[in-house]
Amino acid sequence: CRDWLPDEVGGVCWFSFDNPAESPRIPIFAGTLSLPQSFNYSGQFAFNEQSAHWQYRQANRLATARWGDGRKLIEPALMQFEDKAFTELAEVDKRAADLLKEDQANAAAGQPTQKCREYLTRYTADFHAASAAKWLELRNQLWTDLKLSF
């Protein structure tokens, strides 16, 4: 919670699926209207292609099977998304706060909008989509590079 920012922007949860040491943290802001559809499907107890959980779990499990080699792919990808988040966060905060002011002015004029919340929702969805695509790519690369046999 960052109390110097409006609640919609200042409250941010850094959420990861599966093993938190092997999965990127996805920013979910308090002002987010909805989460990506794949968040609606459980993947905790059984494989589910629609579940966001499995978009990360497959690569993580393969990397864990040969961690000495698997970590060479997972750890740089984790850093890529951590760097992305911290590099973009100040601009996201500023843009969202500006849009919130616009929303407040529109509401005062009798024309309510949710531009701030829509922006934060898109940002969370885009961040998830980019990281999920990377983890599916890692899954494929791990199958090929580690030459795993079970």
Side-chain angles (χ1 to χ4, degrees):
C1 293
R2 301 170 299 156
D3 62 357
W4 63 92
L5 292 168
D7 290 347
E8 293 84 350
V9 184
V12 62
C13 171
W14 295 93
F15 184 80
S16 67
F17 285 97
D18 196 44
N19 182 337
E22 297 178 68
S23 299
R25 279 98 181 126
I26 301 164
I28 302 173
F29 294 86
T32 300
L33 293 168
S34 62
L35 295 172
Q37 187 67 25
S38 61
F39 283 43
N40 293 331
Y41 300 98
S42 175
Q44 186 63 29
F45 302 108
F47 179 76
N48 183 337
E49 272 187 3
Q50 296 177 304
S51 170
H53 195 112
W54 279 94
Q55 292 170 333
Y56 302 95
R57 179 173 271 183
Q58 292 177 80
N60 294 347
R61 292 279 173 95
L62 292 170
T64 300
R66 291 223 351 234
W67 185 241
D69 294 320
R71 71 185 302 172
K72 293 173 187 170
L73 294 174
I74 293 290
E75 289 176 347
L78 278 172
M79 292 311 303
Q80 173 191 346
F81 283 95
E82 186 173 306
D83 291 347
K84 172 183 172 47
F86 288 118
T87 299
E88 295 175 352
L89 191 58
E91 181 57 35
V92 170
D93 291 346
K94 182 182 179 326
R95 178 77 176 130
D98 290 346
L99 289 170
L100 183 59
K101 288 177 187 171
E102 189 178 328
D103 287 340
Q104 291 166 339
N106 290 343
Q111 300 172 7
T113 57
Q114 293 191 47
K115 292 179 181 183
C116 171
R117 290 176 179 265
E118 290 166 353
Y119 170 73
L120 293 172
T121 300
R122 273 191 315 277
Y123 185 81
T124 292
D126 291 348
F127 198 99
H128 165 257
S131 67
K134 179 65 176 179
W135 257 249
L136 292 174
E137 176 187 312
L138 288 171
R139 175 202 63 194
N140 297 342
Q141 189 174 357
L142 285 160
W143 272 119
T144 302
D145 291 357
L146 298 184
K147 297 175 178 48
L148 295 170
S149 61
F150 294 98

